[in-house]
Amino acid sequence: MTTPDMDEFVRLAEEVYETRLRSVLEPEHADEFVAIEPKSGDYFLGKTLSEAIGAARRSHPDRLAHAMRVGHKAALHLGVQVR
């Protein structure tokens, strides 16, 4: 379940990705993870979700970060791929 505040938080983080980061990150960091702290605009890359979130927490321990997979609509894909 989401709240209006959480929806706005996600919207802001995704806006940072679309306006500032997509063109910079996708050519060289596709499939890596990025954690975005939308208030500052700071972002943190990692080969794993844990690496990206961990870096964000170390830098901003009192703030949330929104994690995404570079070049994907979702951070994780769950389920079985049907061919």
Side-chain angles (χ1 to χ4, degrees):
M1 185 151 131
T2 65
T3 66
D5 288 341
M6 187 56 69
D7 291 344
E8 179 65 4
F9 166 80
V10 170
R11 188 194 68 74
L12 289 172
E14 289 177 348
E15 182 177 291
V16 169
Y17 183 81
E18 290 298 327
T19 61
R20 291 189 34 224
L21 302 177
R22 178 186 292 276
S23 63
V24 174
L25 297 180
E26 288 188 7
E28 306 245 347
H29 299 282
D31 299 326
E32 292 182 28
F33 292 89
V34 61
I36 301 167
E37 194 290 302
K39 187 172 183 179
S40 66
D42 293 345
Y43 68 95
F44 307 87
L45 288 169
K47 297 285 182 190
T48 66
L49 182 60
S50 294
E51 285 178 8
I53 290 293
R57 284 199 159 172
R58 285 189 295 280
S59 184
H60 297 287
D62 59 336
R63 297 185 193 168
L64 292 176
H66 178 66
M68 305 170 70
R69 194 160 193 184
V70 176
H72 295 262
K73 290 186 181 254
L76 302 171
H77 300 282
L78 303 175
V80 176
Q81 182 177 5
V82 178
R83 294 182 191 244

Coordinates of all heavy atoms in Angstrom, one line a residue:
M1 N 0.8 -1.2 0.0 CA 0.0 0.0 0.0 C 0.9 1.2 0.0 O 1.9 1.3 0.7 CB -0.9 0.0 1.2 CG -1.9 1.1 1.3 SD -3.3 0.5 2.2 CE -3.6 1.8 3.3
T2 N 0.5 2.2 -0.8 CA 1.3 3.5 -0.8 C 0.5 4.6 -0.2 O -0.7 4.5 0.0 CB 1.6 3.8 -2.3 OG1 0.4 4.1 -3.0 CG2 2.4 2.7 -3.0
T3 N 1.2 5.6 0.1 CA 0.6 6.9 0.6 C 0.9 8.0 -0.3 O 1.8 7.9 -1.2 CB 1.2 7.2 2.0 OG1 2.6 7.6 1.8 CG2 1.1 6.1 3.0
P4 N 0.2 9.1 -0.2 CA 0.5 10.2 -1.1 C 1.9 10.7 -1.0 O 2.5 11.0 -2.0 CB -0.6 11.3 -0.7 CG -1.7 10.5 -0.2 CD -1.1 9.3 0.5
D5 N 2.4 10.7 0.2 CA 3.8 11.1 0.4 C 4.8 10.2 -0.3 O 5.8 10.6 -0.9 CB 4.2 11.2 1.9 CG 3.5 12.4 2.6 OD1 3.0 13.3 1.9 OD2 3.4 12.3 3.9
M6 N 4.6 8.9 -0.2 CA 5.4 7.9 -0.8 C 5.3 8.0 -2.3 O 6.3 7.9 -3.0 CB 5.1 6.5 -0.3 CG 6.1 5.5 -0.8 SD 7.9 5.8 -0.4 CE 7.8 5.5 1.3
D7 N 4.1 8.2 -2.8 CA 3.9 8.4 -4.3 C 4.7 9.6 -4.8 O 5.4 9.5 -5.8 CB 2.5 8.5 -4.6 CG 1.7 7.2 -4.4 OD1 2.3 6.1 -4.3 OD2 0.4 7.3 -4.3
E8 N 4.7 10.6 -4.0 CA 5.4 11.9 -4.4 C 7.0 11.6 -4.4 O 7.7 12.1 -5.2 CB 5.0 13.0 -3.5 CG 5.8 14.3 -3.8 CD 5.5 14.9 -5.2 OE1 4.6 14.4 -5.9 OE2 6.1 15.9 -5.6
F9 N 7.4 10.9 -3.3 CA 8.8 10.6 -3.2 C 9.3 9.8 -4.4 O 10.3 10.1 -5.0 CB 9.0 9.7 -1.9 CG 10.3 9.0 -1.8 CD1 11.4 9.7 -1.4 CD2 10.4 7.7 -2.1 CE1 12.7 9.1 -1.3 CE2 11.6 7.1 -2.0 CZ 12.8 7.8 -1.6
V10 N 8.5 8.8 -4.8 CA 8.9 7.9 -6.0 C 8.8 8.8 -7.3 O 9.7 8.7 -8.1 CB 8.0 6.7 -6.1 CG1 8.1 6.0 -7.4 CG2 8.2 5.8 -4.9
R11 N 7.8 9.6 -7.4 CA 7.7 10.5 -8.6 C 8.9 11.4 -8.7 O 9.5 11.5 -9.8 CB 6.4 11.3 -8.5 CG 6.2 12.1 -9.8 CD 5.1 13.2 -9.6 NE 5.6 14.3 -8.8 CZ 6.5 15.2 -9.1 NH1 7.0 15.2 -10.3 NH2 6.8 16.2 -8.3
L12 N 9.4 12.0 -7.6 CA 10.5 12.9 -7.6 C 11.8 12.1 -8.0 O 12.6 12.6 -8.8 CB 10.7 13.6 -6.3 CG 9.7 14.6 -5.9 CD1 9.8 15.1 -4.5 CD2 9.8 15.8 -6.9
A13 N 12.0 10.9 -7.4 CA 13.2 10.1 -7.7 C 13.2 9.7 -9.2 O 14.2 9.8 -9.9 CB 13.2 8.9 -6.8
E14 N 12.0 9.3 -9.7 CA 12.0 9.0 -11.1 C 12.2 10.2 -12.0 O 12.7 10.0 -13.1 CB 10.7 8.3 -11.4 CG 10.6 6.9 -10.8 CD 9.3 6.1 -11.0 OE1 8.3 6.7 -11.4 OE2 9.3 4.9 -10.7
E15 N 11.8 11.3 -11.6 CA 12.0 12.6 -12.4 C 13.5 12.9 -12.4 O 14.0 13.3 -13.5 CB 11.2 13.7 -11.7 CG 11.4 15.0 -12.4 CD 10.5 16.1 -11.8 OE1 9.3 16.0 -11.9 OE2 11.2 17.0 -11.2
V16 N 14.2 12.7 -11.3 CA 15.7 12.9 -11.3 C 16.3 11.9 -12.3 O 17.2 12.3 -13.1 CB 16.2 12.7 -9.9 CG1 17.8 12.6 -9.9 CG2 15.8 13.8 -8.9
Y17 N 15.8 10.7 -12.3 CA 16.4 9.7 -13.2 C 16.1 10.1 -14.7 O 17.1 10.1 -15.5 CB 15.8 8.3 -13.0 CG 16.4 7.2 -13.9 CD1 17.6 6.6 -13.6 CD2 15.7 6.8 -15.0 CE1 18.1 5.7 -14.4 CE2 16.3 5.9 -15.9 CZ 17.5 5.3 -15.6 OH 18.0 4.4 -16.4
E18 N 14.9 10.5 -15.0 CA 14.5 10.8 -16.4 C 15.2 12.1 -16.9 O 15.7 12.1 -18.0 CB 13.0 11.0 -16.5 CG 12.3 9.7 -16.4 CD 12.6 8.7 -17.4 OE1 12.9 9.1 -18.6 OE2 12.6 7.5 -17.1
T19 N 15.3 13.1 -16.0 CA 15.8 14.4 -16.5 C 17.4 14.5 -16.4 O 18.0 15.3 -17.1 CB 15.2 15.6 -15.7 OG1 15.5 15.5 -14.3 CG2 13.7 15.6 -16.0
R20 N 18.0 13.8 -15.4 CA 19.4 14.0 -15.2 C 20.3 12.8 -15.4 O 21.4 12.9 -15.7 CB 19.6 14.5 -13.7 CG 19.2 15.9 -13.4 CD 19.6 16.4 -12.1 NE 20.9 15.9 -11.7 CZ 21.2 15.4 -10.5 NH1 20.3 15.4 -9.5 NH2 22.4 15.0 -10.2
L21 N 19.7 11.6 -15.2 CA 20.6 10.4 -15.1 C 20.4 9.4 -16.2 O 21.4 8.8 -16.6 CB 20.3 9.7 -13.8 CG 20.5 10.5 -12.5 CD1 20.1 9.7 -11.3 CD2 21.9 11.0 -12.4
R22 N 19.3 9.3 -16.8 CA 19.1 8.3 -17.9 C 20.2 8.4 -18.9 O 20.9 7.4 -19.2 CB 17.7 8.4 -18.5 CG 17.5 7.4 -19.6 CD 16.2 7.6 -20.4 NE 15.1 7.3 -19.6 CZ 14.5 6.1 -19.4 NH1 15.1 5.0 -20.0 NH2 13.5 5.9 -18.7
S23 N 20.4 9.5 -19.5 CA 21.3 9.7 -20.6 C 22.8 9.5 -20.2 O 23.6 9.1 -21.0 CB 21.2 11.0 -21.3 OG 21.5 12.1 -20.4
V24 N 23.1 9.7 -18.9 CA 24.4 9.6 -18.4 C 24.7 8.1 -18.0 O 25.8 7.6 -18.3 CB 24.6 10.5 -17.1 CG1 25.9 10.2 -16.5 CG2 24.4 11.9 -17.5
L25 N 23.7 7.4 -17.4 CA 23.9 6.1 -16.8 C 23.7 5.0 -17.8 O 24.5 4.0 -17.8 CB 23.0 5.9 -15.6 CG 23.3 6.8 -14.4 CD1 22.3 6.5 -13.3 CD2 24.7 6.7 -13.9
E26 N 22.7 5.1 -18.6 CA 22.3 3.9 -19.5 C 23.4 3.5 -20.5 O 23.6 2.3 -20.6 CB 21.0 4.1 -20.2 CG 19.9 4.1 -19.2 CD 18.5 4.1 -19.8 OE1 18.4 4.1 -21.0 OE2 17.5 4.1 -19.0
P27 N 24.2 4.4 -21.1 CA 25.2 3.9 -22.0 C 26.4 3.1 -21.3 O 26.9 2.1 -21.9 CB 25.8 5.2 -22.6 CG 24.8 6.2 -22.4 CD 24.1 5.8 -21.1
E28 N 26.7 3.4 -20.1 CA 27.8 2.7 -19.4 C 27.5 1.8 -18.2 O 28.3 1.0 -17.8 CB 28.8 3.8 -19.0 CG 29.2 4.7 -20.1 CD 30.7 4.6 -20.4 OE1 31.5 4.0 -19.7 OE2 31.1 5.1 -21.5
H29 N 26.3 2.0 -17.7 CA 25.9 1.3 -16.5 C 24.6 0.5 -16.6 O 23.9 0.2 -15.6 CB 25.8 2.2 -15.3 CG 27.1 3.0 -15.0 ND1 28.1 2.4 -14.4 CD2 27.5 4.2 -15.4 CE1 29.1 3.3 -14.3 NE2 28.7 4.4 -14.9
A30 N 24.2 0.1 -17.8 CA 23.0 -0.7 -18.0 C 23.1 -2.0 -17.1 O 24.1 -2.6 -17.0 CB 22.9 -1.1 -19.5
D31 N 21.9 -2.3 -16.6 CA 21.7 -3.4 -15.7 C 22.3 -3.3 -14.3 O 22.2 -4.2 -13.5 CB 22.2 -4.7 -16.4 CG 21.4 -5.0 -17.6 OD1 20.2 -4.7 -17.7 OD2 22.0 -5.6 -18.6
E32 N 23.0 -2.2 -14.0 CA 23.4 -2.0 -12.6 C 22.3 -1.4 -11.9 O 21.2 -1.1 -12.4 CB 24.6 -1.0 -12.6 CG 25.9 -1.6 -13.2 CD 27.1 -0.7 -13.1 OE1 27.1 0.2 -12.2 OE2 28.0 -0.8 -14.0
F33 N 22.4 -1.2 -10.6 CA 21.4 -0.6 -9.8 C 21.8 0.8 -9.4 O 23.0 1.1 -9.2 CB 21.2 -1.4 -8.5 CG 20.6 -2.8 -8.8 CD1 21.4 -3.8 -9.1 CD2 19.2 -2.9 -8.8 CE1 20.8 -5.1 -9.3 CE2 18.6 -4.2 -9.1 CZ 19.5 -5.2 -9.4
V34 N 20.8 1.7 -9.3 CA 21.0 3.1 -8.9 C 20.0 3.4 -7.7 O 18.8 3.0 -7.8 CB 20.9 4.1 -10.0 CG1 19.5 4.1 -10.7 CG2 21.2 5.5 -9.6
A35 N 20.5 4.0 -6.7 CA 19.7 4.4 -5.6 C 19.7 6.0 -5.6 O 20.8 6.6 -5.6 CB 20.2 3.9 -4.2
I36 N 18.5 6.6 -5.7 CA 18.4 8.0 -5.8 C 17.8 8.6 -4.6 O 16.7 8.2 -4.2 CB 17.5 8.4 -7.1 CG1 18.1 7.8 -8.3 CG2 17.4 9.9 -7.2 CD1 17.2 7.8 -9.5
E37 N 18.5 9.6 -4.0 CA 17.9 10.4 -2.9 C 17.4 11.6 -3.5 O 18.1 12.5 -3.9 CB 19.0 10.6 -1.9 CG 18.5 11.1 -0.5 CD 17.9 12.5 -0.6 OE1 18.6 13.4 -1.0 OE2 16.7 12.7 -0.3
P38 N 16.1 11.7 -3.7 CA 15.5 12.8 -4.5 C 15.6 14.2 -3.9 O 15.7 15.1 -4.7 CB 14.0 12.4 -4.7 CG 13.7 11.4 -3.6 CD 15.0 10.8 -3.2
K39 N 15.7 14.3 -2.7 CA 15.8 15.7 -2.1 C 17.1 16.4 -2.5 O 17.1 17.5 -2.9 CB 15.7 15.6 -0.6 CG 15.6 17.0 0.1 CD 15.4 16.8 1.6 CE 15.2 18.2 2.2 NZ 14.9 18.1 3.7
S40 N 18.2 15.6 -2.4 CA 19.5 16.2 -2.8 C 19.8 16.0 -4.3 O 20.7 16.7 -4.9 CB 20.6 15.5 -2.0 OG 20.7 14.2 -2.3
G41 N 19.2 14.9 -4.9 CA 19.5 14.5 -6.2 C 20.7 13.6 -6.3 O 21.2 13.2 -7.4
D42 N 21.3 13.3 -5.1 CA 22.4 12.4 -5.1 C 22.0 11.0 -5.6 O 20.9 10.6 -5.3 CB 23.0 12.3 -3.7 CG 23.6 13.5 -3.2 OD1 23.9 14.4 -4.0 OD2 23.9 13.6 -2.0
Y43 N 23.0 10.3 -6.2 CA 22.7 8.9 -6.7 C 23.9 8.1 -6.4 O 25.0 8.5 -6.3 CB 22.2 8.9 -8.2 CG 23.3 9.2 -9.1 CD1 24.1 8.2 -9.7 CD2 23.6 10.6 -9.5 CE1 25.1 8.5 -10.6 CE2 24.6 10.9 -10.4 CZ 25.4 9.9 -10.9 OH 26.3 10.2 -11.8
F44 N 23.6 6.8 -6.3 CA 24.6 5.8 -5.9 C 24.4 4.6 -6.7 O 23.4 4.0 -6.8 CB 24.4 5.5 -4.4 CG 24.4 6.7 -3.5 CD1 23.2 7.4 -3.3 CD2 25.6 7.3 -3.0 CE1 23.2 8.6 -2.6 CE2 25.6 8.4 -2.3 CZ 24.4 9.1 -2.1
L45 N 25.5 4.2 -7.4 CA 25.5 3.0 -8.2 C 26.0 1.8 -7.5 O 26.9 1.9 -6.6 CB 26.4 3.2 -9.5 CG 25.8 4.2 -10.5 CD1 26.9 4.5 -11.5 CD2 24.6 3.6 -11.2
G46 N 25.5 0.6 -7.9 CA 26.1 -0.7 -7.4 C 25.8 -1.8 -8.4 O 24.9 -1.7 -9.2
K47 N 26.7 -2.8 -8.4 CA 26.4 -4.0 -9.2 C 25.3 -4.8 -8.7 O 24.6 -5.5 -9.4 CB 27.7 -4.8 -9.2 CG 28.9 -4.2 -9.8 CD 28.8 -4.1 -11.3 CE 30.1 -3.5 -11.9 NZ 30.0 -3.2 -13.3
T48 N 25.0 -4.6 -7.4 CA 23.8 -5.2 -6.7 C 22.9 -4.2 -6.1 O 23.4 -3.0 -5.8 CB 24.2 -6.2 -5.7 OG1 24.8 -5.5 -4.6 CG2 25.2 -7.3 -6.2
L49 N 21.7 -4.6 -5.9 CA 20.8 -3.7 -5.2 C 21.3 -3.3 -3.8 O 21.2 -2.1 -3.4 CB 19.4 -4.4 -5.1 CG 18.3 -3.6 -4.4 CD1 18.0 -2.3 -5.2 CD2 17.0 -4.5 -4.4
S50 N 21.8 -4.3 -3.1 CA 22.4 -4.0 -1.8 C 23.5 -3.0 -1.8 O 23.6 -2.2 -0.9 CB 22.9 -5.3 -1.1 OG 21.8 -6.2 -0.9
E51 N 24.4 -3.1 -2.8 CA 25.5 -2.1 -2.9 C 25.0 -0.7 -3.1 O 25.5 0.3 -2.4 CB 26.4 -2.5 -4.1 CG 27.3 -3.6 -3.9 CD 28.2 -3.9 -5.1 OE1 28.2 -3.2 -6.1 OE2 28.8 -5.0 -5.1
A52 N 24.0 -0.5 -4.0 CA 23.5 0.8 -4.2 C 22.8 1.4 -3.0 O 23.0 2.5 -2.6 CB 22.5 0.8 -5.4
I53 N 21.9 0.6 -2.4 CA 21.2 1.1 -1.2 C 22.1 1.3 0.0 O 22.0 2.3 0.7 CB 20.1 0.0 -0.8 CG1 19.0 0.0 -1.8 CG2 19.5 0.3 0.6 CD1 18.2 1.3 -1.9
G54 N 23.1 0.4 0.1 CA 24.1 0.6 1.2 C 24.9 1.9 1.0 O 25.1 2.6 2.0
A55 N 25.3 2.3 -0.2 CA 26.0 3.5 -0.4 C 25.1 4.7 -0.1 O 25.5 5.7 0.5 CB 26.5 3.6 -1.9
A56 N 23.8 4.6 -0.5 CA 22.9 5.7 -0.2 C 22.7 5.9 1.3 O 22.7 7.0 1.8 CB 21.6 5.5 -0.9
R57 N 22.6 4.8 2.0 CA 22.4 4.8 3.5 C 23.6 5.4 4.2 O 23.5 6.1 5.2 CB 22.1 3.5 4.0 CG 20.6 3.1 3.7 CD 20.2 2.0 4.6 NE 18.8 2.0 4.7 CZ 18.1 1.1 5.3 NH1 18.6 0.1 5.9 NH2 16.8 1.2 5.2
R58 N 24.8 5.1 3.7 CA 26.0 5.6 4.3 C 26.1 7.1 4.1 O 26.5 7.8 5.0 CB 27.2 4.9 3.8 CG 27.4 3.5 4.3 CD 28.8 2.9 3.9 NE 28.9 2.7 2.5 CZ 28.4 1.6 1.8 NH1 27.7 0.7 2.5 NH2 28.5 1.5 0.5
S59 N 25.7 7.6 3.0 CA 25.8 9.0 2.7 C 24.6 9.8 3.3 O 24.8 10.9 3.8 CB 25.8 9.2 1.2 OG 25.9 10.6 0.9
H60 N 23.4 9.2 3.4 CA 22.2 9.9 3.9 C 21.5 8.9 4.8 O 20.5 8.4 4.5 CB 21.3 10.3 2.8 CG 21.9 11.3 1.8 ND1 22.0 12.6 2.1 CD2 22.3 11.1 0.5 CE1 22.6 13.2 1.1 NE2 22.7 12.4 0.1
P61 N 22.1 8.7 6.0 CA 21.5 7.7 6.9 C 20.1 8.0 7.4 O 19.3 7.1 7.8 CB 22.5 7.6 8.1 CG 23.2 8.9 8.0 CD 23.2 9.3 6.6
D62 N 19.7 9.2 7.3 CA 18.4 9.6 7.8 C 17.3 9.9 6.7 O 16.2 10.4 7.0 CB 18.5 10.9 8.7 CG 19.1 12.1 7.9 OD1 19.8 11.8 6.9 OD2 18.8 13.2 8.3
R63 N 17.7 9.5 5.5 CA 16.7 9.7 4.4 C 16.5 8.3 3.6 O 17.4 7.5 3.6 CB 17.3 10.7 3.4 CG 17.5 12.0 4.0 CD 17.9 13.0 2.9 NE 18.4 14.2 3.5 CZ 19.0 15.2 2.8 NH1 19.3 15.0 1.5 NH2 19.4 16.3 3.4
L64 N 15.4 8.3 2.9 CA 15.1 7.1 2.1 C 15.7 7.4 0.7 O 15.9 8.5 0.3 CB 13.6 7.0 1.9 CG 12.8 6.5 3.1 CD1 11.3 6.5 2.7 CD2 13.3 5.2 3.6
A65 N 16.0 6.3 0.0 CA 16.5 6.4 -1.4 C 15.6 5.4 -2.2 O 15.1 4.4 -1.7 CB 17.9 5.9 -1.5
H66 N 15.3 5.8 -3.4 CA 14.5 5.0 -4.3 C 15.5 4.2 -5.3 O 16.3 4.9 -5.9 CB 13.6 5.9 -5.1 CG 12.7 5.2 -6.1 ND1 11.8 4.3 -5.8 CD2 12.7 5.2 -7.5 CE1 11.2 3.8 -6.9 NE2 11.8 4.3 -7.9
A67 N 15.4 2.9 -5.3 CA 16.3 2.1 -6.1 C 15.6 1.7 -7.4 O 14.4 1.4 -7.4 CB 16.7 0.9 -5.3
M68 N 16.4 1.7 -8.4 CA 16.0 1.3 -9.8 C 17.1 0.5 -10.4 O 18.3 0.6 -10.0 CB 15.7 2.6 -10.6 CG 14.8 3.6 -10.0 SD 14.7 5.1 -10.9 CE 13.9 4.6 -12.4
R69 N 16.7 -0.2 -11.4 CA 17.8 -0.9 -12.2 C 17.9 -0.1 -13.5 O 17.0 0.3 -14.2 CB 17.3 -2.3 -12.6 CG 18.5 -3.1 -13.1 CD 18.2 -4.6 -13.0 NE 19.4 -5.3 -13.3 CZ 19.4 -6.6 -13.3 NH1 18.4 -7.3 -13.1 NH2 20.6 -7.2 -13.5
V70 N 19.2 0.3 -13.8 CA 19.5 1.2 -14.9 C 19.0 0.5 -16.2 O 19.4 -0.6 -16.5 CB 21.0 1.5 -14.9 CG1 21.3 2.4 -16.2 CG2 21.4 2.2 -13.6
G71 N 18.2 1.2 -16.9 CA 17.7 0.7 -18.2 C 16.4 -0.1 -18.1 O 16.0 -0.7 -19.1
H72 N 15.9 -0.3 -16.9 CA 14.7 -1.1 -16.7 C 13.6 -0.3 -16.1 O 13.8 0.7 -15.4 CB 15.0 -2.3 -15.8 CG 16.0 -3.3 -16.5 ND1 15.6 -4.4 -17.1 CD2 17.3 -3.2 -16.5 CE1 16.7 -5.0 -17.6 NE2 17.7 -4.3 -17.2
K73 N 12.3 -0.8 -16.2 CA 11.2 -0.1 -15.5 C 11.1 -0.5 -14.1 O 10.5 0.2 -13.3 CB 9.9 -0.5 -16.3 CG 9.8 0.2 -17.6 CD 8.4 -0.1 -18.2 CE 8.3 0.6 -19.6 NZ 7.5 1.8 -19.6
A74 N 11.7 -1.6 -13.7 CA 11.6 -2.1 -12.3 C 13.0 -2.5 -11.8 O 13.9 -2.9 -12.6 CB 10.7 -3.3 -12.2
A75 N 13.2 -2.5 -10.5 CA 14.5 -2.9 -10.0 C 14.7 -4.4 -10.1 O 15.8 -4.9 -10.4 CB 14.6 -2.4 -8.5
L76 N 13.6 -5.1 -9.9 CA 13.7 -6.6 -9.9 C 12.5 -7.1 -10.8 O 11.4 -6.5 -10.8 CB 13.6 -7.2 -8.5 CG 14.6 -6.7 -7.5 CD1 14.2 -7.2 -6.1 CD2 16.0 -7.2 -7.9
H77 N 12.8 -8.2 -11.4 CA 11.7 -8.9 -12.2 C 11.5 -10.2 -11.5 O 12.4 -11.0 -11.4 CB 12.2 -9.1 -13.6 CG 12.5 -7.9 -14.4 ND1 11.5 -7.1 -14.9 CD2 13.6 -7.2 -14.7 CE1 12.0 -6.0 -15.4 NE2 13.3 -6.1 -15.3
L78 N 10.3 -10.5 -11.1 CA 10.0 -11.7 -10.4 C 9.1 -12.6 -11.3 O 8.3 -12.1 -12.0 CB 9.2 -11.4 -9.1 CG 9.9 -10.5 -8.1 CD1 9.0 -10.2 -6.9 CD2 11.2 -11.1 -7.6
G79 N 9.3 -13.9 -11.2 CA 8.5 -14.8 -11.9 C 9.4 -15.6 -13.0 O 10.6 -15.5 -13.0
V80 N 8.7 -16.3 -13.8 CA 9.3 -17.1 -14.8 C 9.1 -16.5 -16.2 O 8.0 -16.1 -16.5 CB 8.7 -18.6 -14.7 CG1 9.3 -19.4 -15.8 CG2 8.9 -19.2 -13.4
Q81 N 10.1 -16.5 -16.9 CA 10.0 -16.0 -18.3 C 9.5 -17.1 -19.2 O 10.1 -18.2 -19.2 CB 11.3 -15.5 -18.8 CG 11.3 -14.9 -20.2 CD 12.6 -14.4 -20.7 OE1 13.6 -14.5 -20.0 NE2 12.6 -13.8 -21.8
V82 N 8.4 -16.9 -19.9 CA 7.8 -17.9 -20.8 C 8.4 -17.6 -22.2 O 8.3 -16.5 -22.7 CB 6.3 -17.8 -20.8 CG1 5.7 -18.8 -21.7 CG2 5.8 -18.0 -19.4
R83 N 8.8 -18.7 -22.8 CA 9.4 -18.5 -24.2 C 8.5 -19.2 -25.2 O 7.8 -20.1 -25.0 CB 10.8 -19.2 -24.3 CG 11.7 -18.4 -23.4 CD 13.1 -19.1 -23.6 NE 14.0 -18.5 -22.5 CZ 15.0 -17.8 -22.8 NH1 15.4 -17.5 -24.0 NH2 15.8 -17.3 -21.8

